[in-house]
Amino acid sequence: MASLNHVDAIIFDLRDNTGGFPGMVALIASYLFDHPEYMYNPREAPTQQSWTQSPVPGNRLADKPVYVLTSAKTISGAEEFCYDLKMLKRATLVGETTRGEAHAGVWHRIDDHFGMGITETRAINPFSKTDWEGTGVEPNVKVNVADALVTAEKLAERILQKK
């Protein structure tokens, strides 16, 4: 992330990201804030790891514009990243609504031919009182997934020209 300190804006491409872990969400988000921010982890009660480790020493990204590219393939931990940054008004989401897979669970094999997934946790954010299960995370700027990168670049250019 330190190699990005010189950029004028950041674009995260999560259009084909099929998940991740809450710890990684908080780690990457740590670079986007100059103070600790709560990143809701649906898999455990709030702990110290539920907060970003902001400010990160030597980091210069906390004041840079952030864009996140999304699609219907964006799920799970990638959706958590999108949801939290959108809720905190730290990023502009560009693309399509994410798939809507918020609830964490486990897969149980019944026999050689059948299995079932059982939800263990629901990602209800304590601030918004909602999650993205079944509805997905709606982008701030809805565009076709193929146009998301160019759109985000144009949005960033407009903001940077105003500065």
Side-chain angles (χ1 to χ4, degrees):
M1 293 297 284
S3 67
L4 298 177
N5 275 339
H6 68 282
V7 302
D8 295 318
I10 304 163
I11 299 174
F12 292 98
D13 188 349
L14 302 185
R15 291 177 289 182
D16 290 317
N17 190 309
T18 58
F21 294 94
M24 183 57 73
V25 170
L27 174 66
I28 298 300
S30 292
Y31 291 88
L32 306 178
F33 297 95
D34 61 3
H35 59 277
E37 277 290 351
Y38 182 68
M39 306 302 279
Y40 180 64
N41 177 348
R43 294 182 183 263
E44 62 186 37
T47 66
Q48 186 174 351
Q49 286 75 30
S50 302
W51 292 81
T52 64
Q53 299 301 304
S54 310
V56 175
N59 177 54
R60 294 191 304 256
L61 302 176
D63 64 344
K64 308 286 173 119
V66 176
Y67 301 88
V68 182
L69 310 183
T70 62
S71 77
K73 292 180 183 177
T74 308
I75 64 173
S76 190
E79 285 179 294
E80 178 190 345
F81 186 74
C82 295
Y83 186 86
D84 286 345
L85 291 183
K86 182 179 180 184
M87 185 191 75
L88 294 167
K89 297 181 179 7
R90 181 58 186 98
T92 301
L93 277 53
V94 180
E96 300 173 344
T97 301
T98 64
R99 187 177 302 169
E101 294 188 16
H103 299 169
V106 294
W107 179 258
H108 295 280
R109 169 80 41 210
I110 296 173
D111 63 21
D112 288 343
H113 303 286
F114 296 99
M116 66 187 322
I118 299 177
T119 299
E120 289 185 319
T121 59
R122 295 176 60 209
I124 304 298
N125 186 289
F127 301 118
S128 66
K129 307 292 187 219
T130 63
D131 71 2
W132 58 92
E133 180 69 27
T135 60
V137 182
E138 194 167 322
N140 301 93
V141 180
K142 279 190 168 191
V143 296
N144 183 296
V145 68
D147 300 325
L149 178 58
V150 171
T151 301
E153 288 171 341
K154 288 178 182 176
L155 290 169
E157 287 171 3
R158 271 190 240 144
I159 285 181
L160 296 171
Q161 286 174 352
K162 290 179 184 179
K163 288 185 175 185

